[in-house]
Amino acid sequence: MLRRQLTETQIRNAKAQDTAFKLVEPGGLSLLVKPSGAKLWRYRFTLHSSESMLALGRNPDVSLKRARELHQEARKLVASGISPVHHKQQEKLSIVGAVASTWQEVTNGRLRASTATQRDREIKNDLLPKLRLWQRR
């Protein structure tokens, strides 16, 4: 069976039903339509013999064109042997680390050296490890 690409009209006309259903495109991209009316972009992929799913966003916040772009980026990662889910998580963690670092630089000048050292230690030993654990849920 040959699958066709989704159109904006199909997406716009997809109405909520009693059970969730999917509008599927070739390559693993799909639009999940929930009974609540939410339309969610998903990418299903197989990597290292295990199937996974990456959430790409909510329609209309993420358009069909943008969902296809995100899908292509994720497919490139899978082709390279990298999980797009883990890649996305690592990006978020690096942003949090950068924000914490910038915040420290800005505020450490107003603190005693011992207080700044203690705060650095708390971020390194308490905050960042907890974010990594939270992220794996």
Side-chain angles (χ1 to χ4, degrees):
M1 180 170 92
L2 185 63
R3 290 189 192 166
R4 294 186 178 163
Q5 289 193 325
L6 294 172
T7 64
E8 290 287 347
T9 305
Q10 287 175 312
I11 293 166
R12 193 173 39 253
N13 291 336
K15 303 297 180 202
Q17 298 177 1
D18 292 337
T19 59
F21 68 95
K22 294 180 193 174
L23 299 175
V24 182
E25 262 200 357
L29 179 64
S30 64
L31 182 70
L32 174 65
V33 182
K34 293 189 151 199
S36 64
K39 297 177 183 179
L40 309 170
W41 291 108
R42 300 287 189 248
Y43 169 47
R44 287 212 173 276
F45 62 94
T46 303
L47 185 65
H48 309 301
S49 301
S50 84
E51 191 172 302
S52 296
M53 188 269 306
L54 175 67
L56 300 175
R58 177 184 292 258
N59 184 278
D61 299 338
V62 176
S63 66
L64 174 60
K65 181 179 177 182
R66 181 65 182 142
R68 286 180 176 152
E69 291 168 357
L70 293 170
H71 173 241
Q72 285 305 315
E73 292 170 15
R75 283 181 61 120
K76 288 177 185 173
L77 289 171
V78 170
S80 302
I82 299 168
S83 169
V85 174
H86 292 123
H87 181 76
K88 187 176 179 179
Q89 290 171 345
Q90 290 303 315
E91 284 181 341
K92 287 181 181 179
L93 252 184
S94 66
I95 290 170
V96 169
V99 168
S101 177
T102 303
W103 178 70
Q104 285 175 292
E105 290 172 12
V106 170
T107 60
N108 277 356
R110 293 180 263 157
L111 302 173
R112 290 186 319 199
S114 62
T115 304
T117 302
Q118 178 183 350
R119 188 168 63 186
D120 293 346
R121 188 172 46 250
E122 289 169 347
I123 289 171
K124 181 181 173 189
N125 296 336
D126 297 327
L127 178 65
L128 292 178
K130 281 189 174 64
L131 287 174
R132 286 186 189 100
L133 288 175
W134 171 77
Q135 186 180 42
R136 291 184 190 139
R137 289 183 188 167

